[in-house]
């Protein structure tokens, strides 16, 4: 079921003037009920597109940063603690926390004095708020205010949890944990 994301990565990257490839890792040969996967599919699509649009640099930017011109996105699954962890990790630029903080202040998501006391984890949570967008222009991929809050709603509906980790210049990881679905 996850193989379909390979072509999504390649075609979306090409549309954005970038190069990227997807690697799939499934050491446990995880099997999912099709109905469960159908609920997860929009979440995975959104995260992968978000990674390509926001996280992955264009070829010139990657080369200037000393990276392979072809970006890498890893999609892995693993059974753990009575559930399944889906990890989507890119090797892009990472989230610019100061820019997210500034956008949060500018657009009224957080007061300036509160924003200055925010931890990196709290700043990342701003990305998950309804209407938050770091794009100034609207495209068919982003900037419409339909953001990662949709991902959070989808995760909550299936009693899952999201962990978001970023490293400046080193990429972003979305780790989604879901209890094992019943057949």
């Amino acid at each position: 079921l996850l193989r379909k994301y390979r072509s999504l990565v390649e075609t979306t990257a090409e549309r954005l003037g970038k190069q990227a490839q997807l690697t799939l890792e499934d050491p446990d040969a995880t099997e999912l009920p099709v109905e469960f996967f159908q609920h997860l599919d929009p979440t995975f699509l959104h995260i992968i597109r978000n990674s390509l649009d926001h996280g992955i640099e264009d070829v010139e930017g990657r080369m200037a940063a000393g990276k392979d011109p072809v970006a890498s996105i890893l999609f892995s699954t693993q059974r753990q603690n009575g559930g399944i962890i889906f990890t989507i990790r890119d090797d892009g630029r990472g989230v610019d926390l100061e820019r997210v903080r500034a956008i949060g202040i500018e657009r009224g998501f957080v007061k300036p004095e509160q924003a200055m006391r925010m931890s990196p984890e709290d700043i990342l949570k701003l990305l998950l708020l309804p209407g938050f967008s770091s794009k100034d222009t609207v495209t068919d991929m982003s900037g419409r205010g339909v953001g990662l809050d949709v991902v959070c709603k989808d995760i909550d509906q299936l009693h899952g949890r999201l962990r978001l980790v970023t490293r400046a210049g080193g990429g972003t990881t979305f780790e989604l944990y879901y209890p094992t679905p019943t057949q």
Side-chain angles (χ1 to χ4, degrees), residues 119-134:
S119 68
E121 293 80 18
D122 289 335
I123 294 170
L124 286 173
K125 288 178 185 175
L126 292 173
L127 297 173
L128 308 176
L129 294 174
F132 189 95
S133 179
S134 62

Side-chain angles (χ1 to χ4, degrees), residues 13-107:
E14 186 176 316
R15 268 184 44 216
L16 294 168
K18 302 176 182 183
Q19 294 180 13
Q21 66 180 17
L22 178 70
T23 302
L24 299 172
E25 285 184 2
D26 185 12
D28 302 322
T30 306
E31 292 186 17
L32 300 172
V34 173
E35 302 80 29
F36 182 67
F37 178 78
Q38 289 171 338
H39 289 291
L40 299 176
D41 185 51
T43 300
F44 296 153
L45 289 170
H46 198 110
I47 292 171
I48 290 169
R49 286 182 179 136
N50 192 78
S51 175
L52 289 163
D53 193 26
H54 295 280
I56 300 295
E57 310 94 329
D58 61 21
V59 172
E60 294 79 20
R62 291 184 62 80
M63 291 175 59
K67 296 180 179 182
D68 187 317
V70 179
S72 175
I73 298 176
L74 171 70
F75 193 145
S76 66
T77 61
Q78 181 179 4
R79 292 196 173 275
Q80 189 175 30
N81 299 329
I84 302 170
I85 296 176
F86 298 94
T87 303
I88 301 173
R89 175 181 304 126
D90 68 54
D91 68 347
R93 67 177 61 91
V95 176
D96 182 341
L97 296 175
E98 291 310 313
R99 182 165 182 262
V100 170
R101 182 192 322 254
I103 291 169
I105 294 167
E106 173 188 317
R107 299 194 182 151

Side-chain angles (χ1 to χ4, degrees), residues 46 50 53-54 127-134 138-151 153-154:
H46 198 110
N50 192 78
D53 193 26
H54 295 280
L127 297 173
L128 308 176
L129 294 174
F132 189 95
S133 179
S134 62
V138 176
T139 68
D140 62 339
M141 292 288 285
S142 60
R144 294 168 286 141
V146 179
L148 293 173
D149 63 301
V150 172
V151 167
K153 286 178 189 166
D154 291 345

